[in-house]
């Protein structure tokens, strides 16, 4: 009985130590997800402003820009997969990878060669473990992305998209990330980044509204050359911020679940330890009574 008691007490101490860690991680994720949500909101005004600028140039000029031109024969498609650097976030990364596998399967069924670009150590580990090839990787920032990182990824995307097919260029670019809906819901999502489709634009003008006349200086093509890479970086930055908020929210939920499970285990082991202790006391009393009876009989 004494050995059984020691086992239960050791397990209780072990679970209590784990509970302290999961509780701390839950609180850290809860505090950081608020900041992550704020960063998503703060990035919106710039995204809206550059969207309006790109929409104006695309609408009021007839420039055939490489980033907006649809390729007649799409032979190679790139997929940017945004996962996390660390685990303990529930099904966050696995859900994104699962969605990317579905997309890659669809693209290959359409006869397209797929080139993966990876964000986060989870995606990199997934591909390396399966000995799959990929074009580029970025990691070490997934829960706190910066605009510099988004710009770096955007520059690589634009460079590969504008490169000739025979030189390794791609014909279209997709992004798989997790959209932050709220603290309860985070959904894997796919968007086509290039050829560029202007999104989140303003509502079309009514029939009575007079459209403004735009003049582009030095030229509409030069304006697009300057704006489109910034627009790509802005959209990527928003994707990374959404993913970061989703990662932290998923980690908070996962750690709260782990903490709750630890509390249940502690209650279970405490109850078993008490039962073992009661059985041990009962046996000790029985032995004492039995010894006293034996002494009485002997006398």
């Amino acid at each position: 009985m004494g050995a059984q008691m020691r086992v239960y007490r050791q397990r209780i101490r072990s679970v209590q130590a784990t509970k302290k860690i999961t509780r701390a991680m839950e609180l850290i994720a809860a505090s950081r997800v608020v900041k992550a949500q704020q960063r998503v909101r703060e990035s919106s005004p710039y995204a809206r402003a550059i969207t309006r600028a790109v929409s104006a140039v695309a609408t009021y000029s007839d420039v055939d820009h490489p980033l907006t031109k649809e390729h007649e024969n799409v032979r190679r498609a790139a997929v940017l997969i945004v996962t996390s650097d660390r685990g303990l976030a529930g099904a966050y990364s696995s859900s994104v990878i699962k969605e990317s596998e579905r997309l890659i399967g669809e693209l290959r069924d359409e006869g397209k060669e797929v080139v993966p670009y990876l964000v986060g150590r989870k995606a990199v580990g997934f591909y390396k473990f399966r000995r799959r090839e990929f074009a580029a990787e970025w990691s070490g920032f997934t829960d706190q992305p910066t605009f510099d990182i988004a710009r770096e990824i955007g520059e690589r995307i634009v460079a590969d998209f504008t490169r000739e097919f025979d030189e390794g260029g791609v014909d279209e670019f997709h992004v798989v990330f997790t959209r932050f809906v709220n603290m309860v819901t985070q959904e894997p999502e796919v968007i086509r980044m290039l050829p560029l489709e202007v999104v989140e634009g303003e509502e079309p003008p009514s029939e009575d509204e007079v459209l403004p006349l735009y003049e582009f200086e030095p030229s509409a093509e030069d304006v697009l050359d300057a704006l489109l890479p910034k627009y790509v970086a802005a959209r990527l930055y928003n994707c990374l911020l959404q993913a970061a908020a989703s990662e932290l929210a998923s980690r908070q939920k996962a750690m709260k679940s782990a903490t709750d499970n630890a509390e249940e285990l502690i209650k279970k082991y405490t109850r078993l330890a008490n039962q073992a202790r009661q059985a041990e006391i009962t046996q000790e009393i029985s032995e004492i009574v039995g010894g006293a009876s034996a002494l009485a009989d002997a006398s």
Side-chain angles (χ1 to χ4, degrees):
M1 288 294 180
Q4 194 174 22
M5 280 287 297
R6 284 194 296 274
V7 169
Y8 287 140
R9 286 171 178 168
Q10 183 179 359
R11 289 180 178 177
I12 289 172
R13 286 194 296 270
S14 176
V15 175
Q16 284 175 335
T18 302
K19 177 187 168 184
K20 288 181 180 178
I21 296 172
T22 57
R23 178 61 176 162
M25 294 184 69
E26 176 192 346
L27 294 175
I28 291 171
S31 65
R32 293 177 68 182
V33 73
V34 174
K35 296 178 182 178
Q37 287 178 269
Q38 184 178 354
R39 294 181 73 192
V40 173
R41 289 193 296 268
E42 289 174 350
S43 71
S44 297
Y46 175 77
R48 283 195 296 268
I50 199 167
T51 297
R52 285 195 295 268
V54 171
S55 299
V57 183
T59 304
Y60 302 110
S61 71
D62 56 357
V63 175
D64 190 11
H65 196 275
L67 296 187
T68 60
K69 183 180 180 181
E70 294 281 350
H71 292 208
E72 294 181 2
N73 182 21
V74 178
R75 293 171 289 178
R76 185 179 292 140
V79 177
L80 180 72
I81 307 169
V82 182
T83 63
S84 64
D85 287 324
R86 299 184 295 126
L88 301 177
Y92 169 73
S93 290
S94 60
S95 296
V96 177
I97 291 173
K98 182 179 179 181
E99 182 66 15
S100 71
E101 292 288 278
R102 182 198 62 76
L103 173 64
I104 289 171
E106 288 184 0
L107 294 172
R108 285 178 175 158
D109 289 343
E110 294 170 2
K112 302 171 184 176
E113 176 189 347
V114 178
V115 182
Y117 292 69
L118 311 178
V119 172
R121 295 191 181 100
K122 288 298 178 180
V124 175
F126 179 85
Y127 271 74
K128 286 185 175 179
F129 180 77
R130 288 161 180 76
R131 302 180 186 275
R132 296 185 185 178
E133 295 183 355
F134 53 90
E137 64 175 276
W138 296 271
S139 60
F141 59 84
T142 58
D143 56 353
Q144 289 183 312
T146 64
F147 189 77
D148 289 339
I149 290 291
R151 183 167 52 224
E152 178 185 332
I153 298 173
E155 288 173 353
R156 175 64 186 270
I157 289 175
V158 171
D160 288 356
F161 185 77
T162 53
R163 189 176 291 118
E164 293 295 329
F165 179 84
D166 296 336
E167 298 175 0
V170 298
D171 300 312
E172 62 184 21
F173 224 108
H174 303 266
V175 181
V176 186
F177 70 105
T178 306
R179 181 172 296 281
F180 182 87
V181 180
N182 51 49
M183 285 298 298
V184 178
T185 307
Q186 301 87 41
E187 299 174 344
E189 187 168 321
V190 177
I191 61 173
R192 197 190 76 173
M193 185 73 67
L194 293 172
L196 189 139
E197 296 175 320
V198 177
V199 296
E200 301 172 1
E202 298 185 57
E203 295 182 1
S206 63
E207 294 181 0
D208 299 331
E209 185 178 349
V210 178
L211 293 175
L213 297 176
Y214 287 89
E215 290 185 3
F216 303 103
E217 181 67 31
S219 68
E221 186 172 2
D222 290 334
V223 173
L224 279 175
D225 283 340
L227 280 182
L228 287 176
K230 296 181 185 299
Y231 178 73
V232 171
R235 285 198 70 188
L236 276 174
Y237 186 46
N238 184 261
C239 291
L240 294 178
L241 290 176
Q242 296 258 4
S246 299
E247 177 187 344
L248 290 167
S250 297
R251 180 165 292 115
Q252 181 189 356
K253 287 190 296 183
M255 291 301 97
K256 184 181 187 307
S257 177
T259 302
D260 293 344
N261 290 339
E263 289 177 353
E264 290 299 318
L265 275 176
I266 290 171
K267 289 179 183 178
K268 174 185 174 182
Y269 287 135
T270 300
R271 184 173 65 253
L272 291 173
N274 289 338
Q275 290 175 354
R277 179 61 179 155
Q278 289 169 359
E280 186 177 319
I281 293 171
T282 302
Q283 182 175 342
E284 289 174 355
I285 293 173
S286 298
E287 289 174 353
I288 292 171
V289 171
S293 299
L295 287 173
D297 294 341
S299 61

